[in-house]
Amino acid sequence: MMKNSKRCLSMLYVALSMGCGTVSAKNVEVLHWWTSGGEAEAAQVLKQTLEEQGYQWQDFAIAGGGGETAMTVLKTRAVSGNPPEAAQIKGPDIQEWGRLGFLVSLDDVSQQHRWDELIPEVIANSMKYQSHYVAVPLNIHRVNWLWANTTLLRDVGITQPPTTLQQFFQVAERIKQAGHIPLAHGGQPWQDVTLFEVIALDVLGPEMYRQAFVDNRMDVLSGEHMVEVFTQFKRMHDYIDPNYRGRDWNVATAMVIQGKAAMQLMGDWAKGEFIAAGKKPGIDYLCVPALGTTNEFSYNVDSFAFFEMSRDIDTQAQKALANTIFEPEFQKKFNRTKGSIPIRSDISLDSFDSCAKASKQAFMEAERLGGLVPSMSQGMSTTTYVQSAIFEVVSDFFNNPDGDPEQAAQALAKAVNAAL
């Protein structure tokens, strides 16, 4: 286990630790936020695979598509000395938990199963703290996807979904005039920012995107290109329905599945909902790279970190979960259900659908051409503090009919600077 020298625990911690008692070495409590239909099915795959080995999965699922509520609960549990054995943690937050001394090293597991050889380097690095693996990745999601209902498009005479921002507004106007909802959207901050991110990647391009959301450069965050991002982002509001506020992302996806809306801009976890509904790509729905981002890949990686336990527990249960996640057959089954692609580079996608194959090809091309970027909206590019600041500015702007793009860009830079 990693040294715990930096952890400063209160008397409350001591009291709670003494009160926890002994937990069976076969139990693994797992915190996650996979609660929608497709996500829940994917979680069930992991649970069943682990339990087939004789371990008991104790589900600790907390609803909330962006994971903000889950992270709040996790912090409370960890500080009080009672963390779960495993928790869904992503991106720079992994480094933060590592700095605090909470996480178990997985080096023995990673070396045994050749993680360094099989995980893309850019993702492997984010799973490590001080060169030690402290988290295991499950998959690769592409965030910059557009999903479209084929029947609805055909009914209004549209033969191809839009592939650029300009085409989107033309197609959306046509759909709107025909009496349909062009864009399914849920009015939650993380969904607002997911939509914003797609537009930012198109307008800024990958290099400037990284300058803004990885390097936190104030001149880019407040510059003229960011003003244009906010300008185009505001136009999107004309093509969503008035009842969008508070809608969960999977409910928005269901609108596309059921033909109540034509399109959705969302990561490929949305495909898990189409799969759960029995829909087929190319027949019932289309998946195309989001507007103007064909050569870019905004990635989101689900990963689990493992906590050093204050109570008496055998770490073999934790390592069994890490091993299970990396097994080839589990990788295939889980990712076919989740809508993502396997994290392992040696897995054939012959049994996957056309959207997954396109995603894999896009990942490799983006990696080769420099178009691979960590998703800001999904917590892969920056800290929770900076992300929260971005969420507030972007979501407030989107929900303010009088919002000014130039003022929003200035506010964005100030908010990020204050959060650093």
Side-chain angles (χ1 to χ4, degrees), residues 36-51:
S36 75
E39 290 178 322
E41 287 189 25
Q44 189 67 19
V45 170
L46 182 53
K47 176 183 177 181
Q48 289 176 349
T49 307
L50 184 69
E51 290 187 343

Side-chain angles (χ1 to χ4, degrees), residues 140-142 145 147 268-272 275 334-341 356 359:
I140 301 172
H141 278 297
R142 189 183 194 185
W145 279 114
W147 308 90
D268 53 16
W269 48 90
K271 190 179 68 173
I275 293 170
F334 175 85
N335 283 288
R336 283 196 298 261
T337 303
K338 188 71 159 55
S340 45
I341 57 176
S359 184

Side-chain angles (χ1 to χ4, degrees), residues 143-147 162 165 168 183-185 191 194-195 198-199 236 256 263-267 269-270 288-291:
V143 178
N144 54 312
W145 279 114
L146 182 142
W147 308 90
L165 199 54
F168 172 83
L183 185 66
H185 182 66
Q191 291 188 68
T194 299
L195 181 58
V198 167
I199 298 170
M236 288 286 179
V256 180
M263 299 173 285
Q264 183 184 24
L265 286 160
M266 183 56 63
W269 48 90
V288 295
L291 318 170

Side-chain angles (χ1 to χ4, degrees), residues 271-284:
K271 190 179 68 173
E273 301 301 299
F274 285 95
I275 293 170
K279 303 300 182 181
K280 304 295 182 184
I283 299 174
D284 303 302

